[in-house]
């Protein structure tokens, strides 16, 4: 439900904000929601926090793809995206092992605390980066040169 609502309203939101600020705000809301999940014992309140996380992740993916369109030339875009996917898949088992270790020896809430703090740290990094903050969706409406580069 949360992802449908966010997906429908995303177009209006993107006209009013910048992708870097939106990315940092979504990452910040994911971090706060993870921290709140770690302390809540109420089922419906936990469900609300998970809905906030799901909606923020949809907006983050839209803003990441928009930044990819803005920053990377069209003929390199697929390569850059595959590289990012490969790097994230490479580190995924290490994250699972770390979280499994924490969950095995400590309460599961500490996994949520660590992930929430990690998300908040990356939100702060993206807020302090002038390059990310200065990105604009207006560059997306400029005409794109679709001519393929020559190999000679």
């Amino acid at each position: 439900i949360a992802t449908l609502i966010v997906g429908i309203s995303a177009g209006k939101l993107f006209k009013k904000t910048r992708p870097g600020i939106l990315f940092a705000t979504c990452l910040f809301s994911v971090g706060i929601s993870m921290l709140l999940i770690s302390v809540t014992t109420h089922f419906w309140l936990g469900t609300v926090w998970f809905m906030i996380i799901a909606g923020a992740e949809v907006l983050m993916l839209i803003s990441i793809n928009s930044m990819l369109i803005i920053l990377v030339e069209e003929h390199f875009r697929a390569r850059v995206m595959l590289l990012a996917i490969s790097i994230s898949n490479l580190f995924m088992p290490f994250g699972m092992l770390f979280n499994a270790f924490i969950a095995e020896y400590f309460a599961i809430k500490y996994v949520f605390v660590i992930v929430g703090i990690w998300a908040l740290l990356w939100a702060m990094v993206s807020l302090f980066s002038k390059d990310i903050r200065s990105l604009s969706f207006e560059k997306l409406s400029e005409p794109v040169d679709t001519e393929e580069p020559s190999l000679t």
Side-chain angles (χ1 to χ4, degrees):
I1 295 174
T3 55
L4 288 174
I5 293 170
V6 169
I8 291 170
S9 62
K12 295 176 184 175
L13 181 63
F14 286 138
K15 291 179 183 177
K16 297 179 182 180
T17 185
R18 295 174 179 247
I21 300 295
L22 182 64
F23 176 77
T25 304
C26 290
L27 201 52
F28 186 76
S29 65
V30 167
I32 293 295
S33 296
M34 285 286 188
L35 291 174
L36 290 172
I37 285 172
S38 71
V39 297
T40 189
T41 57
H42 193 270
F43 174 76
W44 291 110
L45 195 56
T47 304
V48 168
W49 300 136
F50 271 115
M51 288 177 66
I52 291 172
I53 290 170
E57 286 177 350
V58 168
L59 287 176
M60 277 193 314
L61 288 175
I62 292 172
S63 62
I64 286 171
N65 288 328
S66 299
M67 287 189 278
L68 184 70
I69 291 170
I70 293 170
L71 296 174
V72 180
E73 295 180 29
E74 186 176 354
H75 54 276
F76 292 121
R77 200 168 295 144
R79 295 178 196 141
V80 170
M81 192 59 152
L82 285 174
L83 179 65
I85 291 169
S86 297
I87 290 171
S88 67
N89 286 338
L90 177 71
F91 286 105
M92 197 177 298
F94 299 113
M96 288 182 185
L97 286 173
F98 177 73
N99 286 334
F101 173 77
I102 297 296
E104 180 70 26
Y105 294 106
F106 303 102
I108 192 69
K109 70 179 184 177
Y110 294 117
V111 172
F112 288 107
V113 169
I114 291 170
V115 171
I117 291 171
W118 186 253
L120 289 174
L121 287 174
W122 279 106
M124 297 303 286
V125 166
S126 61
L127 278 177
F128 288 126
S129 171
K130 291 181 183 179
D131 294 332
I132 293 176
R133 280 192 321 233
S134 65
L135 291 175
S136 173
F137 283 112
E138 295 163 3
K139 293 181 181 178
L140 291 174
S141 61
E142 295 175 0
V144 177
D145 183 20
T146 58
E147 186 178 314
E148 287 292 321
S150 65
L151 297 175
T152 58

